[in-house]
């Protein structure tokens, strides 16, 4: 099913039947209530960012990000590296469509595929972080991301492995790198990395 992303909205209808249901129990994520899902969206929507890189106004790459502290956004180093090589500038906007200006790069970690950007405006983050080592196999996993740059979608799955990197059952694309991965309590467990982009497993 294709995404039905609408400006400033989060689509929650992008459901899919994972082949992994024959191997793992999806009961925890299947038991999430709509109230729980709405709470996660409303609490985090303003802090989920869409980033686009351009050269001569042509789109070079797209990614997502998450505001983790006052004026700081985490995304992937893969996206930033490609933008530094191929693009002239990067634009960013939040889940409400408000543009955010990037002041610079604070730090990067190529090994973990992370980059921290500083915003010119001191955007306050209220997200909740959790220690990723606490995530267990078959725990609920939720991704809020934008593939098209217009609106966001929310998809649900489970944790299928955690060996320092969380692997989930949620299929993702390159354009969704940097998107936050939440647990059932709406806490950020990690972000989507390009190290394992394919049709069945995402890596955070």
């Amino acid at each position: 099913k294709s995404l039905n992303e609408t400006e400033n909205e989060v689509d929650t209808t992008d459901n899919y039947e994972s082949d992994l249901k024959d191997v793992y129990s999806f009961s925890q994520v299947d038991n999430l209530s709509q109230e729980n899902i709405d709470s996660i969206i409303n609490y985090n929507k303003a802090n989920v960012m869409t980033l686009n890189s351009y050269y001569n106004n042509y789109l070079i790459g797209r990614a997502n990000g998450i505001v983790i502290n006052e004026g700081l956004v985490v995304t992937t180093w893969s996206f930033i590296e490609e933008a530094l090589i191929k693009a002239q500038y990067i634009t960013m906007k939040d889940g409400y469509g408000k543009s955010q200006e990037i002041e610079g790069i604070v730090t990067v970690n190529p090994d973990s595929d992370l980059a921290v950007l500083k915003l010119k405006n001191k955007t306050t983050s209220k997200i909740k972080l959790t220690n990723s080592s606490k995530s267990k196999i078959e725990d609920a996993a939720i991704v809020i991301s934008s593939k098209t740059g217009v609106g966001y979608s929310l998809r649900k799955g489970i944790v299928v492995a955690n060996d320092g990197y969380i692997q989930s059952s949620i299929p993702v694309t390159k354009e969704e790198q940097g998107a936050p991965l939440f647990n059932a309590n709406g806490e950020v467990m990690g972000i989507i990395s390009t190290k394992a982009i394919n049709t069945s497993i995402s890596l955070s």
Side-chain angles (χ1 to χ4, degrees), residues 17-199:
E17 288 297 321
S18 174
D19 293 337
L20 296 175
K21 285 192 173 183
D22 295 332
V23 182
Y24 301 95
S25 170
F26 280 63
S27 61
Q28 186 181 130
V29 69
D30 289 341
N31 290 331
L32 286 174
S33 68
Q34 188 59 48
E35 183 180 2
N36 194 173
I37 294 298
D38 291 342
S39 175
I40 292 173
I41 291 172
N42 294 333
Y43 194 86
N44 294 286
K45 183 178 176 181
N47 297 307
V48 180
M49 300 287 173
T50 302
L51 296 87
N52 293 301
S53 60
Y54 294 91
Y55 183 86
N56 287 342
N57 294 326
Y58 288 98
L59 182 68
I60 299 298
R62 174 171 291 124
N64 292 257
I66 184 76
V67 182
I68 59 165
N69 207 332
E70 187 174 339
L72 297 179
V73 174
V74 172
T75 187
T76 64
W77 165 240
S78 298
F79 169 77
I80 298 300
E81 182 181 36
E82 181 182 55
L84 291 173
I85 295 171
K86 299 181 179 180
Q88 295 171 315
Y89 62 95
I90 297 172
T91 63
M92 182 187 299
K93 64 180 180 179
D94 64 23
Y96 292 97
K98 181 180 179 181
S99 295
Q100 301 289 342
E101 193 170 353
I102 301 170
E103 185 171 307
I105 301 172
V106 176
T107 187
V108 302
N109 187 329
D111 290 337
S112 57
D113 197 25
L114 294 175
V116 180
L117 309 178
K118 183 179 182 181
L119 302 178
K120 285 194 173 181
N121 294 327
K122 300 295 183 180
T123 302
T124 301
S125 172
K126 61 179 183 178
I127 67 163
K128 297 175 286 187
L129 301 174
T130 186
N131 188 331
S132 60
S133 64
K134 296 180 180 179
S135 301
K136 299 177 181 179
I137 294 175
E138 298 182 350
D139 280 355
I142 300 159
V143 168
I144 298 177
S145 64
S146 177
K147 284 185 183 180
T148 65
V150 180
Y152 292 81
S153 69
L154 179 146
R155 277 163 300 147
K156 300 174 290 182
I158 61 167
V159 174
V160 296
N162 186 359
D163 57 359
Y165 290 97
I166 298 173
Q167 296 182 50
S168 82
S169 65
I170 305 169
V172 293
T173 65
K174 181 182 177 182
E175 291 76 18
E176 295 175 278
Q177 61 180 303
L181 185 72
F182 299 97
N183 61 21
N185 297 320
E187 300 167 324
V188 177
M189 300 186 287
I191 68 170
I192 301 301
S193 168
T194 57
K195 289 185 177 181
I197 297 295
N198 57 45
T199 57

